[in-house]
Structures are given as structure tokens and as C-alpha cells.
């Protein structure tokens, strides 16, 4: 049996980061676990500090159930160094190297409009980017 994984982002604005990653990956808000009807109801069972709220976190999932779940959690510390783990977004499609590069550039431009930043281009291969809170990720072509 293989293990399933979740990826967790620490952040200062969970709603902002959730909207970016929903746009980037096509993910949706994950419903609360059964039998809870809302995230607030689910969170109430944990006896959290009074200043914690459902807005301090977001839980996203792949609507097709294939990709890992994302947990986005507010923390008091700001990001201070390069990620040791990052996400690679793979743009689908075949074609010539120039056609694949054009799709990579188009995807990076779409993610810039969604709030990301392009940090560095590795011409013909991938683009290093950052989400709205500075978490690095790459946009590249899917395997042929």
C-alpha cells in the first residue's frame, strides 16, 4: 500500500494563497470531513485559541481526486529563506520545443495575472516563479 500525502503551506493570508493555488492548479475548496457541515463546525472540536478562526486556514483538493490535498495555514512567522521543497506545475501537450516553451510562457503569464511573480527563466526548459507570499515553484513542460 502506498501512502497518500498532503502538502501544507505556512502563510500570513490563507484566503489569498488559497485563491492563487486554486487558479494555478484547478483545485477546489475541500468539503469538511463527515459528519461536519462546515469548517467552523469541524474546527470547534479542537479547542483552538479564541483568536483562531476558519479564515486562518484553507483546505484544497483536486476535483478529480488525483493530486495531493493542500492545507494552507496561517502562522505568525514570515517566510525567511528559500523553500527546500517546491511544486512543479507541468504544462500538458506535445509538440516542438518551441511550442512547449510557448505553452510554459503562456502559463507563467496566466499565473502572474493571478498574483504570482516570475523570478527567473531557464530558456526552453522552465520558469522559476513565486506565489503571492514568495513560495517558489516552477512551471515546465509535462513529460512527452
Amino acid at each position: 500500500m502506498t501512502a497518500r500525502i498532503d502538502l501544507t503551506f505556512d502563510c500570513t493570508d490563507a484566503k489569498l494563497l488559497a485563491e492563487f493555488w486554486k487558479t494555478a492548479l484547478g483545485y477546489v475548496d475541500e468539503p469538511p470531513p463527515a459528519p461536519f457541515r462546515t469548517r467552523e463546525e469541524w474546527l470547534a472540536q479542537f479547542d483552538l485559541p479564541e483568536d483562531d478562526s476558519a479564515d486562518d486556514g484553507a483546505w484544497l483538493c483536486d476535483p478529480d481526486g488525483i493530486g495531493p490535498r493542500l492545507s494552507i495555514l496561517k502562522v505568525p512567522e514570515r517566510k525567511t529563506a528559500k523553500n527546500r521543497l517546491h511544486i512543479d506545475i507541468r504544462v500538458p501537450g506535445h509538440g516542438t520545443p518551441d511550442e512547449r516553451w510557448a505553452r510554459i510562457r503562456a502559463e507563467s503569464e496566466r499565473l502572474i495575472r493571478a498574483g504570482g511573480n516570475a523570478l527567473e527563466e531557464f530558456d526552453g526548459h522552465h520558469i522559476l516563479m513565486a506565489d503571492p507570499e514568495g513560495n517558489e515553484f516552477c512551471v515546465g513542460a509535462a513529460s512527452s
Side-chain angles (χ1 to χ4, degrees), residues 32-38 41-42:
F36 303 102
R37 289 175 285 131
T38 66
E41 197 178 276
W42 174 71

Side-chain angles (χ1 to χ4, degrees), residues 56-124:
D56 292 341
W59 295 266
L60 309 179
C61 63
D62 176 348
D64 296 325
I66 297 168
R69 174 179 166 239
L70 300 183
S71 298
I72 301 171
L73 306 174
K74 181 179 177 181
V75 297
E77 311 84 24
R78 296 197 64 79
K79 181 181 181 308
T80 59
K82 182 184 184 304
N83 302 13
R84 294 296 303 253
L85 173 72
H86 69 265
I87 292 175
D88 285 345
I89 296 175
R90 298 293 181 183
V91 180
H94 300 287
T96 67
D98 287 342
E99 291 168 333
R100 288 194 304 273
W101 183 243
R103 284 194 302 277
I104 291 167
R105 297 210 54 193
E107 180 66 3
S108 71
E109 290 164 9
R110 183 181 78 87
L111 296 175
I112 289 168
R113 289 190 300 275
N117 293 298
L119 302 177
E120 188 173 357
E121 287 191 13
F122 296 84
D123 195 31

Side-chain angles (χ1 to χ4, degrees), residues 43 47-56 74:
L43 287 168
D47 193 32
L48 298 172
E50 284 186 28
D51 59 343
D52 281 3
S53 79
D55 290 338
D56 292 341
K74 181 179 177 181

